[in-house]
Amino acid sequence: LSGLEAARRASTELAGLTGQLREALASPKARGAWGERMAEDVLRRAGFEEGLNYRKQTSVAGGPTIPDFTFLLPRDHVVHMDVKFPIDNYLRHLDATTADEAERAAKQFVRDVRARVKELSGRGYIDPEHTVDLLLLFIPNESVYAFIHEQDPGLLDEAMAQKVVLCSPFTLFALLAVIRQAMDNFLVAETSREILVCLGGFNE
């Protein structure tokens, strides 16, 4: 009985979250703001500070395009991330009243994601002189990220082949942890080098 009650509660909570998701993504403007807010929540939890660890809405070097976030790496390198994500057909899938309607919306959603990946790969977000050899596309919801895996398991690998890494909030947090560690290690190495230079001066 307790197991059934727990399942009922989980279903009720999931329905509530799905309803909130529909409301939050009711308009393109709201979707963009929601995606940015979700990304910034992850950044704060990872200990990132604007201006120190990342920049927002800054043009890429040598091009007119503007990524939503730019993460600062050692030796003046960066990695760009975009949070604009096609969600309309995912919401149509949730609202579908028939299996055929749900399937059509799901297939169109996957096509939308593939088109977004192709668009980003051609935007000039990767520059060997200034960036790492990839860019990030943030998917601001774990359920949507899992849905992509379910509907098209090969899509993430194909995106990576185009140098686009799809990130959910959880996977973005993991990537940021790696970036933060790399930055900290670089700063420690640089500081150690400066200390050794100073000690060499004292010895002389």
Side-chain angles (χ1 to χ4, degrees):
L1 182 61
S2 60
L4 291 175
E5 179 62 21
R8 186 192 65 77
R9 289 178 184 172
S11 297
T12 301
E13 291 175 2
L14 180 59
L17 289 172
T18 301
Q20 292 173 18
L21 180 63
R22 290 192 186 99
E23 293 174 9
L25 305 180
S27 70
K29 185 176 180 180
R31 287 177 216 135
W34 180 69
E36 288 188 19
R37 187 173 68 248
M38 288 294 294
E40 289 186 311
D41 285 346
V42 176
L43 293 177
R44 279 194 296 271
R45 290 179 180 274
F48 275 45
E49 297 182 21
E50 186 175 358
L52 180 62
N53 306 110
Y54 70 94
R55 298 190 298 259
K56 289 180 61 178
Q57 304 288 336
T58 304
S59 298
V60 301
T65 53
I66 302 178
D68 294 308
F69 292 88
T70 297
F71 299 111
L72 310 179
L73 302 175
R75 302 195 184 281
D76 296 325
H77 273 60
V78 299
V79 58
H80 299 299
M81 182 175 78
D82 206 292
V83 303
K84 298 178 184 69
F85 189 73
I87 204 79
D88 290 355
N89 281 297
Y90 177 76
L91 297 178
R92 292 191 182 99
H93 170 80
L94 295 179
D95 291 332
T97 56
T98 67
D100 287 344
E101 185 181 349
E103 184 178 358
R104 283 196 302 272
K107 288 181 178 178
Q108 185 56 55
F109 171 69
V110 170
R111 284 194 288 268
D112 292 342
V113 178
R114 286 181 173 275
R116 182 64 177 143
V117 168
K118 184 177 180 180
E119 177 193 352
L120 282 178
S121 66
R123 276 201 169 188
Y125 282 174
I126 297 176
D127 173 6
E129 293 186 8
H130 302 99
T131 74
V132 297
D133 199 31
L134 56 85
L135 61 99
L136 308 178
L137 174 56
F138 181 58
I139 302 169
N141 183 271
E142 295 292 343
S143 296
V144 177
Y145 187 76
F147 187 75
I148 293 172
H149 274 288
E150 176 186 334
Q151 295 296 316
D152 191 346
L155 193 153
L156 272 68
D157 288 336
E158 292 176 28
M160 287 193 67
Q162 299 178 61
K163 301 183 179 180
V164 178
V165 177
L166 277 65
C167 303
S168 70
F170 181 79
T171 56
L172 176 60
F173 184 85
L175 279 171
L176 293 178
V178 173
I179 291 173
R180 182 67 181 271
Q181 187 64 48
M183 294 170 66
D184 289 346
N185 289 344
F186 176 78
L187 292 174
V188 168
E190 287 292 292
T191 303
S192 298
R193 185 182 61 81
E194 292 173 5
I195 291 172
L196 289 173
V197 170
C198 290
L199 287 174
F202 282 130
N203 288 334
E204 291 178 4

